Amino acid sequence: MAPGSRSWGAVLLLAAVLPAACGSCGAEGGPLEPFDELYASGVEAYYGGDFAGAARCLEQALRSRRELRAERLRCRRRCRGQVRLAALGAGPAGELPFFWALLRRAGCLRSCEEPRLGATSRHRATEEVRSDFQRRVPYSYLQRAYIQLNKLEEAANAAHTFFMANPEHMEIQQDIENYKTTAGKVSLIDLEAKPHMEDYSAGVRHYDKEEYRLAITFLERALEGYYAEDEDCQIMCEGPQRFEEHEYLEYKAGLYEAIADHYMQVLACKHDCIRELATRSGRISPIENFLPLHYDYLQFAYYRVGDYVKALECARTYLLFHPDDEDVLENAAYYEDLLKGTLDLATIKPRKEAKALLRRHKLESHLLRVASIGLGFTYTEPNYWKRYGARQDEHSVPSSISSEPEDGPRLSLTKKPTPKPDRELKEGGPLLYSDVKFVYNSQQLNGTQRVLLDNVISEEQCRELHRVASGIMLAGDGYRGKTSPHTPNERFEGATVLKALKYGYEGRVPLKSARLFYDISEKARRIVESYFMLNSTLYFSYTHLVCRTALSGQQERRNDLSHPIHADNCLLDPEANECWKEPPAYTFRDYSALLYMNADFEGGEFIFTEMDAKTVTASIKPKCGRMVSFSSGGENPHGVKAVTKGQRCAVALWFTLDPLYRELERIQADEVIAMLDQEHLGPSEMNINPKDEL
């Protein structure tokens, strides 16, 4: 079954209301069928056991999405050439030629697209479906369907394509190995590979092997592909925008404000094409300094094959991006000395396409900054050309550099400095409660800032908490209403402390039981704060009682995780062995804890991994009263194995050292507790300041 982080209910609901069954996927003629409908039909066929129909629909969905993009590109290019936007004239009617051209171009686009695509509204997929295709989820379904059809080579390619965008899914690796064993020698193909990225990787591999002529061939081809893809990206940004900061239908802006607002969204999309083209499929962050690196490798490769003119040309091109790079400045001077007297050095100029891209990029940046002030939206210019080359994925600074003479050319690649911890890391402090049992520390769990404890709560308290959970949890609570946020094979339900107390106060659950949730979370917070010997107060950031239930009929041959490998305060990038502490990650979280309530289920082990999201460093089987706690950063990637039978429940807690990010609901819950104490309703049987405190 396909791993993912979305609600499959939307796809299945769409499939339920479609007028055509999956058998119609092969229909020819007429407008292009929407890829989201074909996808929904494929999912429906898969769950219905029609694997041939599922494969046919999913293949057509992928083909439809590609054809949709190709047709839009064709029409936008055609209409851009046929209808030029006119300049504004003078006088009261000076803008009419411009708007006349605008209307003609819009009409051109509609007349070009409609014969093949039909009405534009037919091809507006939901964000969830677009996300699935971005993460290549359809290929996971295809893999399973192909297995049932005994198409092992196709299954292997589908699995490989899915895995390239989802390297955190360990089970898919085993599937690929099984295909190799069963089908013999399999040449795995990434069916969604970006050609310019593949050529770049091939060029770097040849460079590392000192095969400089081959490296030049692939890197030059990568550049051709990059600039072609950049043009396509720019054109595709001219489609509908989402108006993220307001609801468009309720937006009452005037003509020019509305046009400016929409254009700024288009411009921001175009400006971000540099990031898009430098990001591998399914990855979070781009390869740093991606486009300039092409020229850096090429300047040195051309030098090694004796083409000093090209070496100087590429060095000067690289310096457009980094004019103060000392290494390449020295290289350029070295090449100039080699060429002195043989030709006019002024004729060797940076490449035109790089100059044009940089000029456009700087103008876009200027317009976005000016508009953000004038129109009142927030814009922060990313650093698109970071110079350190630590994120080179499959390569490092080539060893051949060290064999060069000190005054010879060098690559400018440097290592990214290792970040220093923002606080002194300690552990081994008192556990505060005599009944809490220490199990493993960081060393025994093969990591940093980790601890495993037992008997944090009793069997009776586990049962009582489970009864509370049954009365207050809602499907999708804490997951923006998504009942299956991490996998389509499990249902997620949750509740917060404040909700529990509210239900208790209203008499919908026993008040003493509702307060138990509050009290045990406070006990967990005190233990974490003490054990890790924190010298400042640890505040609640978010508290969530959550149960995940295996869905019957969907557990056979599962290859996904209940919760994919991630870190709690940064964006994990396994390919680069990095964790980026930037939004949308909860960067303010400092410590995490999971307090388990039961063991009567199958699967569901908590796992720590290396930053590659593959190598498991520790596995923990949940049981009543067991708690695992750890620091929330990239040093502790973790996830949950599939729950294949029964229901797994736990109290999930995230903490922060910054009082500005205290959990609002917790503050409100504290007020409710104070009110209850004033009414002499008393605490639960658990005393959070116990007499047996150590």
Side-chain angles (χ1 to χ4, degrees):
M1 207 60 60
S5 57
R6 58 174 305 276
S7 171
W8 293 90
V11 171
L12 294 176
L13 179 61
L14 178 60
V17 300
L18 290 178
C22 62
S24 67
C25 289
E28 298 292 338
L32 184 69
E33 292 185 70
F35 70 88
D36 58 336
E37 293 184 7
L38 291 165
Y39 178 39
S41 295
V43 172
E44 182 187 32
Y46 179 88
Y47 282 120
D50 179 9
F51 299 110
R56 182 169 60 253
C57 290
L58 291 166
E59 289 168 350
Q60 290 240 359
L62 291 162
R63 186 159 53 248
S64 172
R65 183 168 175 263
R66 286 192 290 267
E67 290 180 10
L68 175 65
R69 185 177 189 269
E71 185 68 8
R72 284 176 170 167
L73 281 170
R74 184 186 71 82
C75 287
R76 289 172 191 176
R77 280 201 183 92
R78 173 184 167 187
C79 293
R80 188 184 269 191
Q82 288 183 358
V83 184
R84 299 288 181 182
L85 296 181
L88 294 175
E95 74 273 11
L96 289 179
F98 172 79
F99 283 108
W100 169 235
L102 203 67
L103 292 170
R104 288 173 55 220
R105 183 175 289 188
C108 175
L109 285 169
R110 174 164 291 189
S111 63
C112 179
E113 290 182 356
E114 279 191 349
R116 179 67 180 120
L117 303 183
T120 304
S121 59
R122 297 178 68 242
H123 299 281
R124 288 180 180 168
T126 65
E127 181 66 28
E128 287 183 326
V129 171
R130 290 198 301 270
S131 175
D132 275 4
F133 278 80
Q134 179 68 23
R135 295 186 58 237
R136 305 185 179 183
V137 173
Y139 284 100
S140 185
Y141 275 109
L142 265 178
Q143 174 212 3
R144 311 312 311 174
Y146 285 143
I147 290 174
Q148 297 295 328
L149 299 172
N150 200 32
K151 295 182 175 181
L152 297 185
E153 185 173 349
E154 290 90 339
N157 287 332
H160 178 67
T161 301
F162 174 76
F163 177 70
M164 294 304 291
N166 299 272
E168 75 278 7
H169 287 273
M170 298 173 292
E171 291 85 349
I172 206 77
Q173 297 179 69
Q174 186 58 52
D175 285 344
I176 293 172
E177 292 302 317
N178 291 341
Y179 295 139
K180 291 178 180 178
T181 302
T182 306
K185 187 176 181 180
V186 177
S187 179
L188 297 175
I189 299 172
D190 180 358
L191 301 172
E192 295 285 340
K194 298 179 179 180
H196 75 278
M197 194 72 78
E198 295 293 296
D199 286 335
Y200 170 77
S201 298
V204 171
R205 284 195 298 272
H206 286 299
Y207 184 99
D208 287 342
K209 296 176 182 178
E210 300 186 9
E211 298 168 348
Y212 295 110
R213 293 192 184 279
L214 283 172
I216 289 168
T217 298
F218 280 99
L219 288 168
E220 291 286 13
R221 195 165 74 187
L223 282 171
E224 290 179 15
Y226 179 97
Y227 287 110
E229 190 62 32
D230 176 67
E231 181 182 349
D232 288 352
C233 181
Q234 296 276 315
I235 293 172
M236 290 304 296
C237 284
E238 295 174 1
Q241 296 297 319
R242 286 182 293 169
F243 295 91
E244 295 176 356
E245 296 188 10
H246 52 257
E247 292 294 333
Y248 178 58
L249 293 178
E250 299 176 3
Y251 185 46
K252 305 300 182 184
L255 171 65
Y256 296 106
E257 290 90 344
I259 292 174
D261 183 67
H262 195 139
Y263 181 68
M264 284 303 103
Q265 299 249 354
V266 171
L267 188 63
C269 174
K270 291 185 174 186
H271 195 57
D272 207 48
C273 284
I274 286 173
R275 180 186 295 274
E276 174 70 21
L277 267 61
T279 304
R280 297 181 186 277
S281 297
R283 303 301 190 269
I284 296 167
S285 300
I287 298 174
E288 289 172 359
N289 206 27
F290 181 62
L291 179 57
L293 276 175
H294 290 69
Y295 297 107
D296 197 5
Y297 277 111
L298 281 169
Q299 59 95 10
F300 193 83
Y302 275 121
Y303 162 73
R304 293 301 295 265
V305 301
D307 192 336
Y308 305 138
V309 171
K310 288 286 188 182
L312 181 56
E313 176 189 80
C314 290
R316 288 179 171 177
T317 304
Y318 180 89
L319 290 170
L320 292 174
F321 300 91
H322 303 299
D324 60 345
D325 188 303
E326 293 182 1
D327 287 337
V328 180
L329 284 169
E330 290 179 7
N331 290 358
Y334 185 83
Y335 303 146
E336 289 168 2
D337 286 341
L338 291 174
L339 292 168
K340 192 175 294 183
T342 63
L343 76 168
D344 182 1
L345 295 179
T347 63
I348 304 176
K349 300 181 181 298
R351 295 195 179 179
K352 293 179 180 179
E353 60 271 21
K355 288 181 68 175
L357 183 143
L358 266 176
R359 185 166 54 250
R360 183 198 78 209
H361 192 70
K362 289 176 181 178
L363 181 56
E364 290 169 350
S365 179
H366 174 72
L367 288 176
L368 286 165
R369 284 196 297 267
V370 170
S372 67
I373 298 171
L375 296 177
F377 65 87
T378 302
Y379 177 74
T380 303
E381 175 76 3
N383 186 347
Y384 290 100
W385 316 118
K386 290 181 181 178
R387 273 188 52 199
Y388 43 76
R391 298 193 59 244
Q392 299 161 44
D393 298 302
E394 71 290 316
H395 66 280
S396 59
V397 179
S399 58
S400 59
I401 303 303
S402 61
S403 65
E404 288 298 309
E406 290 187 4
D407 58 348
R410 294 170 293 197
L411 273 181
S412 67
L413 307 180
T414 57
K415 291 292 184 182
K416 185 177 180 179
T418 303
K420 295 181 180 178
D422 54 5
R423 63 181 179 276
E424 185 180 1
L425 302 181
K426 299 179 182 178
E427 64 177 285
L431 299 177
L432 302 181
Y433 302 85
S434 59
D435 52 347
V436 175
K437 179 184 176 183
F438 170 82
V439 182
Y440 293 133
N441 60 18
S442 294
Q443 184 177 3
Q444 293 163 314
L445 290 170
N446 302 311
T448 301
Q449 294 279 279
R450 301 174 181 177
V451 66
L452 182 65
L453 307 171
D454 279 344
N455 301 336
V456 175
I457 57 176
S458 67
E459 291 282 351
E460 176 56 34
Q461 288 165 341
C462 285
R463 288 191 291 270
E464 185 67 21
L465 199 58
H466 206 281
R467 285 193 290 269
V468 174
S470 301
I472 65 175
M473 288 193 306
L474 289 177
D477 182 279
Y479 300 99
R480 298 180 181 178
K482 297 180 180 180
T483 58
S484 301
H486 303 303
T487 169
N489 305 304
E490 298 172 23
R491 183 180 71 253
F492 285 69
E493 302 165 291
T496 62
V497 168
L498 184 62
K499 182 180 177 182
L501 291 173
K502 179 184 176 184
Y503 275 37
Y505 191 72
E506 294 172 350
R508 299 164 72 174
V509 297
L511 182 56
K512 186 178 72 172
S513 302
R515 176 153 183 170
L516 177 64
F517 183 10
Y518 176 92
D519 288 343
I520 66 165
S521 58
E522 173 60 20
K523 181 179 183 181
R525 185 198 68 79
R526 298 183 74 225
I527 292 171
V528 173
E529 182 181 85
S530 177
Y531 179 80
F532 289 112
M533 305 171 70
L534 304 177
N535 55 14
S536 59
T537 303
L538 192 65
Y539 301 96
F540 287 99
S541 168
Y542 188 55
T543 312
H544 197 223
L545 194 161
V546 60
C547 293
R548 53 190 81 200
T549 306
L551 297 178
S552 60
Q554 294 182 207
Q555 304 305 314
E556 185 180 358
R557 297 180 66 89
R558 277 187 66 178
N559 66 352
D560 63 339
L561 298 177
S562 177
H563 198 145
I565 304 300
H566 64 284
D568 285 342
N569 73 5
C570 53
L571 304 173
L572 188 63
D573 189 344
E575 176 99 358
N577 252 27
E578 286 282 3
C579 202
W580 307 99
K581 204 165 183 179
E582 59 189 43
Y586 300 102
T587 57
F588 48 84
R589 290 176 176 173
D590 294 297
Y591 284 89
S592 309
L594 293 154
L595 176 57
Y596 299 109
M597 295 161 50
N598 66 316
D600 55 339
F601 56 88
E602 293 181 7
E605 293 89 349
F606 177 94
I607 54 174
F608 286 114
T609 73
E610 299 284 5
M611 289 185 69
D612 62 5
K614 303 174 188 176
T615 307
V616 176
T617 57
S619 179
I620 296 166
K621 179 67 177 175
K623 69 175 185 177
C624 168
R626 173 163 286 179
M627 185 172 83
V628 58
S629 183
F630 47 93
S631 54
S632 302
E635 67 277 7
N636 283 317
H638 58 280
V640 179
K641 289 190 175 181
V643 177
T644 56
K645 185 177 181 181
Q647 184 182 68
R648 175 191 190 270
C649 294
V651 177
L653 307 113
W654 292 272
F655 306 105
T656 179
L657 293 167
D658 188 340
L660 291 176
Y661 293 99
R662 292 176 65 187
E663 182 181 12
L664 178 59
E665 284 206 7
R666 189 73 190 195
I667 296 173
Q668 295 171 325
D670 292 342
E671 294 170 352
V672 173
I673 289 295
M675 180 188 67
L676 294 177
D677 287 345
Q678 287 177 1
E679 295 178 5
H680 307 291
L681 296 177
S684 69
E685 290 181 355
M686 174 180 290
N687 186 347
I688 61 172
N689 294 295
K691 294 179 181 179
D692 60 350
E693 187 170 327
L694 297 177

